[in-house]
Amino acid sequence: MKLNPDCIRDILFSVEELAGPNNLINSTNIMNTKFIQNKYSEDEVLYHIKQLDWAGYIVTPNKNKTIDNIYFVNDLSPAGHEFIADIRNDTNWNKVKTISKNIGSETLKSLKTIAEGVISSTIKSSLGLP
């Protein structure tokens, strides 16, 4: 399955919204958020949750990550919080997607690197730095 950057972003928003100190989030909860509902198939969401887990952007239970095709998530990881902060703004996100398409790379690593560059450039511009 091809990586869908918008699905990744929407899952991160969903986990952020659902997370709490004692919450165990499952993929059904994520599927029913305003960010995901009716936009992506269940298979697509499950695939991208696994990708986010493997990349270290979400925290999952040590055991029983999946039961009966339901994936469990505890929270965003610090890296996930950092990434979502960099791509929260729609203008910045659209820049990230445009740059990633132009260079031909939509991996999580390249999206993160591009997002960091966009944020860095925005900070420099806001401070009046060259």
Coordinates of all heavy atoms in Angstrom, one line a residue, residues 25-114:
I25 N -6.5 3.6 23.3 CA -7.2 4.0 22.1 C -7.2 2.8 21.2 O -6.2 2.1 21.1 CB -6.5 5.2 21.4 CG1 -6.4 6.4 22.4 CG2 -7.3 5.5 20.1 CD1 -5.4 7.4 22.0
N26 N -8.3 2.5 20.5 CA -8.2 1.4 19.5 C -8.6 2.0 18.1 O -9.1 3.1 18.0 CB -9.1 0.2 19.9 CG -10.6 0.6 19.9 OD1 -11.1 1.0 18.9 ND2 -11.3 0.3 21.0
S27 N -8.2 1.2 17.1 CA -8.4 1.7 15.7 C -9.9 2.0 15.4 O -10.1 2.9 14.6 CB -7.8 0.7 14.8 OG -8.4 -0.6 15.0
T28 N -10.8 1.4 16.1 CA -12.2 1.7 15.9 C -12.5 3.1 16.4 O -13.2 3.9 15.7 CB -13.1 0.7 16.6 OG1 -12.8 -0.6 16.1 CG2 -14.6 1.0 16.3
N29 N -11.9 3.5 17.5 CA -12.1 4.9 18.0 C -11.5 5.8 17.0 O -12.1 6.9 16.7 CB -11.4 5.1 19.4 CG -11.8 4.2 20.5 OD1 -11.0 3.6 21.2 ND2 -13.1 4.0 20.7
I30 N -10.3 5.5 16.5 CA -9.7 6.4 15.5 C -10.5 6.5 14.2 O -10.7 7.6 13.7 CB -8.3 5.9 15.2 CG1 -7.4 6.0 16.4 CG2 -7.6 6.6 14.0 CD1 -6.0 5.3 16.4
M31 N -11.1 5.4 13.8 CA -11.9 5.4 12.6 C -13.1 6.3 12.7 O -13.6 6.9 11.7 CB -12.4 4.0 12.2 CG -11.4 3.1 11.7 SD -10.7 3.5 10.1 CE -12.2 3.5 9.1
N32 N -13.6 6.5 14.0 CA -14.8 7.3 14.2 C -14.5 8.8 14.5 O -15.5 9.5 14.8 CB -15.6 6.7 15.3 CG -16.2 5.4 14.8 OD1 -16.7 5.2 13.7 ND2 -16.2 4.4 15.7
T33 N -13.3 9.2 14.4 CA -13.0 10.6 14.7 C -13.4 11.5 13.5 O -13.5 11.0 12.4 CB -11.5 10.9 15.0 OG1 -10.7 10.6 13.9 CG2 -11.1 10.1 16.3
K34 N -13.6 12.8 13.7 CA -13.9 13.7 12.7 C -12.8 13.8 11.6 O -13.1 14.2 10.5 CB -14.2 15.1 13.2 CG -13.0 15.7 13.9 CD -13.4 17.0 14.6 CE -12.2 17.6 15.4 NZ -12.5 18.6 16.3
F35 N -11.6 13.4 12.0 CA -10.5 13.5 11.0 C -10.5 12.3 10.1 O -10.0 12.5 8.9 CB -9.1 13.5 11.8 CG -9.1 14.6 12.9 CD1 -9.2 14.3 14.2 CD2 -8.9 15.9 12.5 CE1 -9.1 15.3 15.2 CE2 -8.8 16.9 13.5 CZ -8.9 16.6 14.8
I36 N -11.0 11.2 10.5 CA -10.9 10.0 9.7 C -12.2 9.5 9.1 O -12.2 9.1 7.9 CB -10.4 8.8 10.6 CG1 -9.0 9.2 11.2 CG2 -10.3 7.5 9.8 CD1 -7.9 9.2 10.2
Q37 N -13.3 9.7 9.8 CA -14.6 9.2 9.4 C -14.9 9.4 7.9 O -14.9 10.6 7.5 CB -15.7 9.7 10.3 CG -16.9 8.9 10.3 CD -17.9 9.3 11.4 OE1 -18.0 10.5 11.7 NE2 -18.5 8.4 12.0
N38 N -15.2 8.4 7.2 CA -15.6 8.4 5.8 C -14.6 8.9 4.8 O -14.9 9.2 3.7 CB -16.9 9.2 5.6 CG -18.0 8.6 6.5 OD1 -18.2 7.4 6.5 ND2 -18.8 9.4 7.1
K39 N -13.3 9.1 5.3 CA -12.2 9.6 4.4 C -11.3 8.5 3.9 O -10.8 8.5 2.8 CB -11.4 10.6 5.1 CG -12.1 12.0 5.2 CD -11.3 13.0 6.0 CE -10.1 13.5 5.4 NZ -9.4 14.5 6.2
Y40 N -11.1 7.4 4.8 CA -10.2 6.4 4.5 C -10.8 5.0 4.8 O -11.6 4.9 5.7 CB -8.9 6.6 5.3 CG -8.3 8.0 5.3 CD1 -8.5 8.8 6.4 CD2 -7.6 8.4 4.2 CE1 -8.0 10.1 6.3 CE2 -7.1 9.7 4.2 CZ -7.3 10.5 5.3 OH -6.8 11.8 5.2
S41 N -10.3 4.0 4.1 CA -10.8 2.7 4.4 C -10.1 2.2 5.7 O -9.1 2.7 6.1 CB -10.4 1.7 3.3 OG -9.0 1.5 3.3
E42 N -10.8 1.2 6.3 CA -10.2 0.6 7.5 C -8.8 0.0 7.3 O -7.9 0.2 8.1 CB -11.1 -0.5 8.1 CG -10.6 -1.1 9.4 CD -11.6 -2.1 10.0 OE1 -12.6 -2.5 9.3 OE2 -11.3 -2.5 11.1
D43 N -8.6 -0.6 6.2 CA -7.3 -1.2 5.8 C -6.3 -0.1 5.7 O -5.1 -0.3 6.2 CB -7.4 -2.0 4.5 CG -8.0 -3.3 4.7 OD1 -8.2 -3.8 5.8 OD2 -8.4 -3.9 3.6
E44 N -6.6 1.0 5.1 CA -5.7 2.1 4.9 C -5.3 2.7 6.3 O -4.1 3.0 6.6 CB -6.3 3.2 4.0 CG -5.3 4.3 3.7 CD -5.9 5.3 2.7 OE1 -7.1 5.3 2.4 OE2 -5.0 6.0 2.1
V45 N -6.3 2.9 7.2 CA -6.0 3.4 8.5 C -5.1 2.4 9.3 O -4.1 2.9 9.9 CB -7.3 3.7 9.3 CG1 -7.0 4.1 10.7 CG2 -8.0 4.9 8.6
L46 N -5.5 1.2 9.3 CA -4.6 0.2 10.0 C -3.2 0.1 9.5 O -2.3 0.1 10.3 CB -5.3 -1.2 9.9 CG -6.6 -1.4 10.7 CD1 -7.2 -2.8 10.3 CD2 -6.4 -1.3 12.2
Y47 N -3.1 0.2 8.2 CA -1.7 0.2 7.6 C -0.9 1.4 8.1 O 0.3 1.3 8.5 CB -1.8 0.2 6.1 CG -0.5 0.3 5.4 CD1 0.3 -0.8 5.2 CD2 0.0 1.6 4.9 CE1 1.5 -0.7 4.5 CE2 1.2 1.7 4.2 CZ 2.0 0.5 4.1 OH 3.2 0.6 3.4
H48 N -1.5 2.6 8.1 CA -0.8 3.8 8.5 C -0.6 3.8 10.0 O 0.4 4.4 10.4 CB -1.6 5.0 8.0 CG -1.4 5.2 6.5 ND1 -2.2 4.5 5.6 CD2 -0.5 5.9 5.8 CE1 -1.8 4.9 4.4 NE2 -0.8 5.7 4.5
I49 N -1.5 3.3 10.8 CA -1.2 3.2 12.2 C 0.1 2.3 12.5 O 0.9 2.7 13.2 CB -2.4 2.6 13.0 CG1 -3.6 3.6 13.0 CG2 -2.0 2.2 14.4 CD1 -4.9 3.0 13.6
K50 N 0.2 1.2 11.7 CA 1.4 0.3 11.9 C 2.6 1.1 11.4 O 3.7 1.0 12.1 CB 1.2 -0.9 11.0 CG 0.2 -1.9 11.6 CD 0.0 -3.1 10.8 CE -1.1 -4.0 11.3 NZ -1.3 -5.2 10.5
Q51 N 2.5 1.8 10.4 CA 3.7 2.6 9.9 C 4.1 3.7 11.0 O 5.3 3.8 11.2 CB 3.4 3.3 8.6 CG 3.2 2.4 7.4 CD 4.4 1.6 7.1 OE1 5.5 2.2 7.0 NE2 4.3 0.3 6.8
L52 N 3.1 4.3 11.6 CA 3.4 5.3 12.6 C 4.0 4.6 13.8 O 4.9 5.2 14.5 CB 2.2 6.1 13.0 CG 1.7 7.1 11.9 CD1 0.3 7.5 12.2 CD2 2.6 8.3 11.9
D53 N 3.6 3.4 14.1 CA 4.1 2.7 15.3 C 5.6 2.3 15.0 O 6.5 2.6 15.8 CB 3.3 1.4 15.5 CG 3.8 0.5 16.6 OD1 4.5 1.0 17.5 OD2 3.4 -0.7 16.7
W54 N 5.8 1.7 13.8 CA 7.2 1.3 13.4 C 8.1 2.5 13.4 O 9.3 2.3 13.7 CB 7.2 0.6 12.1 CG 6.5 -0.8 12.1 CD1 6.3 -1.6 13.2 CD2 5.9 -1.4 11.0 NE1 5.6 -2.7 12.9 CE2 5.3 -2.6 11.5 CE3 5.7 -1.1 9.7 CZ2 4.6 -3.5 10.7 CZ3 5.0 -2.0 8.9 CH2 4.5 -3.2 9.4
A55 N 7.6 3.7 13.0 CA 8.5 4.9 12.9 C 8.7 5.6 14.2 O 9.5 6.5 14.3 CB 7.9 5.8 11.9
G56 N 7.9 5.1 15.2 CA 8.1 5.7 16.6 C 7.3 7.0 16.8 O 7.6 7.7 17.8
Y57 N 6.3 7.2 16.1 CA 5.4 8.4 16.2 C 4.3 8.2 17.2 O 3.7 9.1 17.7 CB 4.9 8.9 14.9 CG 6.0 9.5 14.1 CD1 6.7 8.8 13.1 CD2 6.4 10.9 14.3 CE1 7.7 9.4 12.4 CE2 7.4 11.4 13.5 CZ 8.1 10.7 12.6 OH 9.1 11.2 11.8
I58 N 3.9 6.9 17.4 CA 2.9 6.6 18.4 C 3.4 5.6 19.4 O 4.4 4.8 19.1 CB 1.6 6.1 17.7 CG1 1.9 4.8 16.9 CG2 0.9 7.2 17.0 CD1 0.6 4.2 16.3
V59 N 2.8 5.5 20.6 CA 3.2 4.5 21.6 C 2.1 3.5 21.6 O 0.9 3.8 21.7 CB 3.3 5.2 23.0 CG1 3.7 4.2 24.0 CG2 4.3 6.3 22.9
T60 N 2.5 2.2 21.5 CA 1.5 1.1 21.6 C 1.8 0.2 22.8 O 2.9 0.2 23.3 CB 1.6 0.3 20.3 OG1 2.9 -0.2 20.1 CG2 1.1 1.2 19.1
P61 N 0.8 -0.6 23.2 CA 1.1 -1.5 24.3 C 2.2 -2.5 23.9 O 2.4 -2.8 22.7 CB -0.2 -2.3 24.5 CG -1.3 -1.5 23.8 CD -0.5 -0.7 22.7
N62 N 3.0 -3.0 24.9 CA 4.0 -3.9 24.6 C 3.5 -5.3 24.2 O 4.1 -5.9 23.4 CB 4.9 -4.2 25.9 CG 5.7 -3.0 26.2 OD1 6.1 -2.2 25.4 ND2 6.0 -2.8 27.5
K63 N 2.3 -5.6 24.6 CA 1.7 -6.9 24.2 C 0.3 -6.5 23.6 O -0.3 -5.5 23.9 CB 1.4 -7.8 25.4 CG 2.7 -8.3 26.0 CD 2.4 -9.2 27.2 CE 3.7 -9.7 27.8 NZ 3.5 -10.6 28.9
N64 N -0.2 -7.4 22.8 CA -1.6 -7.3 22.2 C -1.8 -6.0 21.5 O -2.8 -5.3 21.7 CB -2.6 -7.5 23.3 CG -2.5 -8.8 24.0 OD1 -2.2 -9.8 23.3 ND2 -2.8 -8.9 25.3
K65 N -0.9 -5.7 20.6 CA -1.1 -4.5 19.8 C -2.3 -4.6 18.9 O -3.0 -3.6 18.6 CB 0.2 -4.2 18.9 CG 1.4 -3.8 19.7 CD 2.5 -3.5 18.7 CE 3.7 -3.1 19.5 NZ 4.8 -2.6 18.7
T66 N -2.6 -5.8 18.5 CA -3.7 -6.1 17.7 C -4.5 -7.3 18.2 O -3.9 -8.3 18.7 CB -3.4 -6.4 16.2 OG1 -2.5 -7.5 16.1 CG2 -2.8 -5.2 15.5
I67 N -5.8 -7.2 18.2 CA -6.7 -8.3 18.6 C -7.9 -8.2 17.6 O -8.5 -7.1 17.5 CB -7.2 -8.1 20.0 CG1 -6.1 -8.2 21.0 CG2 -8.3 -9.2 20.3 CD1 -6.5 -7.9 22.5
D68 N -8.1 -9.3 16.9 CA -9.2 -9.3 15.9 C -9.2 -8.1 15.0 O -10.2 -7.5 14.7 CB -10.6 -9.4 16.6 CG -10.7 -10.7 17.4 OD1 -10.2 -11.7 17.0 OD2 -11.4 -10.7 18.5
N69 N -8.1 -7.8 14.4 CA -7.9 -6.7 13.4 C -8.2 -5.4 14.0 O -8.5 -4.4 13.3 CB -8.7 -7.0 12.2 CG -8.1 -6.4 11.0 OD1 -6.9 -6.2 10.8 ND2 -8.9 -6.0 10.0
I70 N -8.1 -5.2 15.3 CA -8.2 -3.9 16.0 C -6.8 -3.6 16.6 O -6.3 -4.4 17.3 CB -9.3 -3.9 17.1 CG1 -10.7 -4.2 16.5 CG2 -9.3 -2.6 17.9 CD1 -11.8 -4.3 17.5
Y71 N -6.3 -2.4 16.2 CA -5.0 -2.0 16.6 C -5.1 -1.1 17.8 O -6.0 -0.2 17.9 CB -4.3 -1.2 15.5 CG -2.8 -1.3 15.5 CD1 -2.2 -2.3 14.8 CD2 -2.1 -0.4 16.2 CE1 -0.8 -2.4 14.7 CE2 -0.7 -0.5 16.2 CZ -0.1 -1.5 15.4 OH 1.3 -1.6 15.4
F72 N -4.3 -1.3 18.8 CA -4.4 -0.5 20.1 C -3.2 0.5 20.2 O -2.1 0.2 19.8 CB -4.3 -1.4 21.3 CG -5.6 -2.2 21.4 CD1 -5.7 -3.5 20.8 CD2 -6.7 -1.7 22.0 CE1 -6.9 -4.2 20.9 CE2 -7.9 -2.4 22.1 CZ -8.0 -3.7 21.5
V73 N -3.5 1.7 20.6 CA -2.5 2.8 20.7 C -2.7 3.4 22.1 O -3.8 3.7 22.6 CB -2.8 3.9 19.7 CG1 -1.8 5.0 19.8 CG2 -2.7 3.3 18.3
N74 N -1.6 3.7 22.8 CA -1.6 4.4 24.1 C -1.6 6.0 23.9 O -2.4 6.6 24.6 CB -0.4 4.1 24.9 CG -0.4 2.6 25.4 OD1 0.3 1.8 24.8 ND2 -1.3 2.3 26.3
D75 N -0.8 6.5 23.0 CA -0.6 7.9 22.9 C 0.4 8.2 21.8 O 0.9 7.3 21.1 CB 0.0 8.4 24.2 CG -0.2 9.9 24.5 OD1 -0.6 10.6 23.6 OD2 -0.1 10.3 25.7
L76 N 0.6 9.5 21.5 CA 1.6 10.0 20.7 C 3.0 9.9 21.4 O 3.0 10.1 22.6 CB 1.4 11.4 20.3 CG 0.2 11.8 19.4 CD1 0.1 13.3 19.2 CD2 0.3 11.1 18.1
S77 N 4.0 9.6 20.7 CA 5.3 9.6 21.3 C 5.8 11.1 21.3 O 5.2 11.9 20.7 CB 6.3 8.7 20.5 OG 6.5 9.3 19.3
P78 N 6.9 11.4 22.0 CA 7.5 12.7 21.9 C 7.8 13.1 20.4 O 7.5 14.2 20.0 CB 8.8 12.7 22.7 CG 8.4 11.7 23.8 CD 7.6 10.6 23.0
A79 N 8.3 12.2 19.6 CA 8.5 12.4 18.2 C 7.2 12.7 17.5 O 7.1 13.6 16.6 CB 9.3 11.3 17.6
G80 N 6.1 12.0 17.8 CA 4.8 12.2 17.2 C 4.3 13.6 17.6 O 3.7 14.3 16.7
H81 N 4.4 14.0 18.8 CA 4.0 15.4 19.2 C 4.8 16.4 18.5 O 4.2 17.4 18.0 CB 4.2 15.6 20.7 CG 3.1 15.0 21.6 ND1 1.9 15.5 21.7 CD2 3.1 13.9 22.4 CE1 1.1 14.8 22.5 NE2 1.8 13.8 23.0
E82 N 6.1 16.2 18.3 CA 6.9 17.2 17.6 C 6.5 17.3 16.1 O 6.3 18.4 15.6 CB 8.4 16.8 17.7 CG 9.3 17.8 17.2 CD 10.8 17.3 17.4 OE1 11.2 17.1 18.6 OE2 11.5 17.2 16.4
F83 N 6.3 16.1 15.5 CA 5.9 16.1 14.1 C 4.5 16.8 13.9 O 4.4 17.6 13.0 CB 5.9 14.7 13.6 CG 5.6 14.5 12.1 CD1 6.3 15.3 11.2 CD2 4.6 13.6 11.7 CE1 6.0 15.1 9.8 CE2 4.4 13.5 10.3 CZ 5.1 14.2 9.4
I84 N 3.6 16.4 14.7 CA 2.2 17.0 14.5 C 2.3 18.5 14.8 O 1.5 19.3 14.1 CB 1.2 16.3 15.4 CG1 -0.2 16.6 14.9 CG2 1.3 16.7 16.8 CD1 -1.3 15.8 15.5
A85 N 3.1 19.0 15.7 CA 3.2 20.4 15.9 C 3.8 21.1 14.7 O 3.3 22.2 14.3 CB 4.1 20.7 17.1
D86 N 4.7 20.5 14.0 CA 5.3 21.1 12.8 C 4.3 21.1 11.6 O 4.5 21.9 10.7 CB 6.5 20.3 12.4 CG 7.7 20.5 13.3 OD1 7.7 21.5 14.1 OD2 8.7 19.8 13.2
I87 N 3.3 20.2 11.6 CA 2.4 20.1 10.4 C 1.0 20.5 10.8 O 0.1 20.3 9.9 CB 2.5 18.7 9.8 CG1 2.0 17.6 10.8 CG2 3.8 18.4 9.3 CD1 1.8 16.2 10.2
R88 N 0.8 21.0 12.0 CA -0.6 21.3 12.4 C -1.2 22.4 11.5 O -2.3 22.4 11.0 CB -0.6 21.8 13.8 CG -2.0 22.1 14.4 CD -2.0 22.5 15.8 NE -1.2 21.6 16.7 CZ -1.7 20.4 17.1 NH1 -2.9 20.0 16.7 NH2 -1.0 19.6 17.9
N89 N -0.4 23.5 11.2 CA -0.9 24.6 10.4 C -1.1 24.1 9.0 O -0.2 23.5 8.4 CB 0.2 25.7 10.5 CG -0.2 26.9 9.6 OD1 0.0 26.8 8.4 ND2 -0.6 28.0 10.3
D90 N -2.3 24.4 8.4 CA -2.6 23.9 7.0 C -1.6 24.5 6.0 O -1.2 23.8 5.1 CB -4.0 24.3 6.7 CG -5.0 23.4 7.4 OD1 -4.7 22.3 7.9 OD2 -6.2 23.9 7.5
T91 N -1.2 25.7 6.2 CA -0.3 26.4 5.2 C 1.0 25.6 5.2 O 1.6 25.3 4.1 CB -0.1 27.9 5.5 OG1 -1.4 28.5 5.5 CG2 0.8 28.5 4.5
N92 N 1.6 25.4 6.4 CA 2.8 24.6 6.5 C 2.7 23.2 5.9 O 3.6 22.7 5.2 CB 3.3 24.6 7.9 CG 3.7 25.9 8.5 OD1 4.0 26.9 7.7 ND2 3.7 26.1 9.8
W93 N 1.6 22.6 6.3 CA 1.3 21.2 5.8 C 1.3 21.2 4.2 O 1.9 20.3 3.6 CB 0.1 20.6 6.4 CG -0.3 19.3 5.9 CD1 -1.5 18.9 5.3 CD2 0.5 18.1 5.9 NE1 -1.4 17.5 4.9 CE2 -0.2 17.0 5.4 CE3 1.8 17.8 6.4 CZ2 0.2 15.7 5.3 CZ3 2.2 16.5 6.4 CH2 1.5 15.5 5.8
N94 N 0.6 22.1 3.6 CA 0.5 22.2 2.2 C 1.9 22.4 1.6 O 2.2 21.8 0.5 CB -0.5 23.2 1.7 CG -1.9 22.8 2.0 OD1 -2.2 21.6 2.0 ND2 -2.8 23.7 2.3
K95 N 2.8 23.2 2.2 CA 4.1 23.4 1.7 C 4.9 22.1 1.8 O 5.6 21.7 0.9 CB 4.8 24.5 2.6 CG 4.4 25.9 2.3 CD 5.2 26.8 3.2 CE 4.6 28.3 3.1 NZ 5.3 29.2 4.0
V96 N 4.7 21.4 2.9 CA 5.4 20.1 3.1 C 5.0 19.1 2.0 O 5.9 18.5 1.4 CB 5.1 19.5 4.5 CG1 5.6 18.1 4.6 CG2 5.7 20.4 5.6
K97 N 3.7 19.0 1.7 CA 3.3 18.1 0.7 C 3.8 18.5 -0.7 O 4.2 17.6 -1.5 CB 1.7 18.0 0.7 CG 1.2 17.3 1.9 CD -0.3 16.9 1.8 CE -1.2 18.1 1.4 NZ -2.6 17.7 1.4
T98 N 3.7 19.8 -1.0 CA 4.2 20.2 -2.3 C 5.7 19.9 -2.5 O 6.1 19.4 -3.5 CB 3.9 21.8 -2.4 OG1 2.5 22.0 -2.3 CG2 4.5 22.3 -3.7
I99 N 6.5 20.2 -1.5 CA 7.9 20.0 -1.6 C 8.2 18.5 -1.7 O 9.0 18.0 -2.5 CB 8.7 20.6 -0.3 CG1 8.6 22.1 -0.4 CG2 10.1 20.1 -0.3 CD1 9.0 22.8 0.9
S100 N 7.5 17.7 -0.9 CA 7.7 16.2 -1.0 C 7.3 15.6 -2.3 O 8.0 14.8 -2.9 CB 7.0 15.5 0.1 OG 5.6 15.5 -0.1
K101 N 6.3 16.2 -2.9 CA 5.9 15.7 -4.3 C 6.9 16.1 -5.3 O 7.3 15.4 -6.2 CB 4.5 16.2 -4.6 CG 3.4 15.4 -3.9 CD 2.0 15.9 -4.3 CE 1.0 15.2 -3.5 NZ -0.4 15.6 -3.8
N102 N 7.4 17.4 -5.2 CA 8.4 17.9 -6.1 C 9.7 17.2 -6.1 O 10.3 17.0 -7.1 CB 8.6 19.4 -5.9 CG 7.5 20.3 -6.3 OD1 6.6 19.9 -7.1 ND2 7.4 21.5 -5.8
I103 N 10.1 16.7 -4.9 CA 11.3 16.0 -4.8 C 11.1 14.5 -5.0 O 12.1 13.7 -5.1 CB 12.1 16.2 -3.5 CG1 11.3 15.7 -2.3 CG2 12.4 17.7 -3.4 CD1 12.1 15.7 -1.0
G104 N 9.9 14.0 -5.0 CA 9.5 12.6 -5.3 C 9.7 11.7 -4.1 O 10.0 10.5 -4.3
S105 N 9.5 12.2 -2.9 CA 9.7 11.4 -1.7 C 8.6 11.7 -0.7 O 8.6 12.9 -0.2 CB 11.1 11.6 -1.1 OG 11.2 10.8 0.1
E106 N 7.8 10.8 -0.4 CA 6.7 11.0 0.6 C 6.9 10.0 1.8 O 5.9 9.5 2.3 CB 5.4 10.8 0.0 CG 5.0 12.0 -1.0 CD 3.7 11.9 -1.6 OE1 3.2 10.8 -1.9 OE2 3.0 12.9 -1.6
T107 N 8.1 9.7 2.1 CA 8.3 8.8 3.3 C 8.1 9.6 4.6 O 8.1 10.8 4.6 CB 9.8 8.3 3.3 OG1 10.7 9.4 3.5 CG2 10.1 7.5 2.0
L108 N 7.9 8.9 5.7 CA 7.7 9.6 7.0 C 9.0 10.4 7.3 O 8.9 11.5 7.8 CB 7.4 8.6 8.1 CG 6.0 8.2 8.2 CD1 5.8 7.0 9.1 CD2 5.2 9.3 8.8
K109 N 10.2 9.8 7.0 CA 11.4 10.5 7.3 C 11.5 11.8 6.5 O 11.9 12.8 7.0 CB 12.6 9.6 7.0 CG 13.9 10.2 7.4 CD 15.1 9.2 7.2 CE 16.4 9.9 7.6 NZ 17.5 8.9 7.4
S110 N 11.2 11.7 5.2 CA 11.3 12.9 4.4 C 10.3 14.0 4.7 O 10.6 15.2 4.7 CB 11.3 12.6 2.9 OG 10.0 12.1 2.5
L111 N 9.1 13.5 5.1 CA 8.0 14.5 5.5 C 8.5 15.2 6.7 O 8.3 16.4 6.9 CB 6.7 13.7 5.7 CG 6.0 13.2 4.5 CD1 4.8 12.3 4.9 CD2 5.5 14.3 3.6
K112 N 9.0 14.5 7.7 CA 9.5 15.1 8.9 C 10.6 16.1 8.7 O 10.6 17.2 9.2 CB 10.0 14.0 9.9 CG 10.6 14.5 11.2 CD 9.6 15.2 12.0 CE 10.3 15.6 13.4 NZ 9.5 16.6 14.0
T113 N 11.6 15.7 7.8 CA 12.7 16.6 7.5 C 12.2 17.8 6.8 O 12.7 19.0 7.1 CB 13.7 15.8 6.6 OG1 14.2 14.7 7.3 CG2 14.9 16.7 6.2
I114 N 11.3 17.7 5.8 CA 10.7 18.8 5.1 C 10.0 19.7 6.1 O 10.1 21.0 6.1 CB 9.8 18.4 4.0 CG1 10.7 17.7 2.9 CG2 9.1 19.6 3.4 CD1 9.9 16.9 1.9

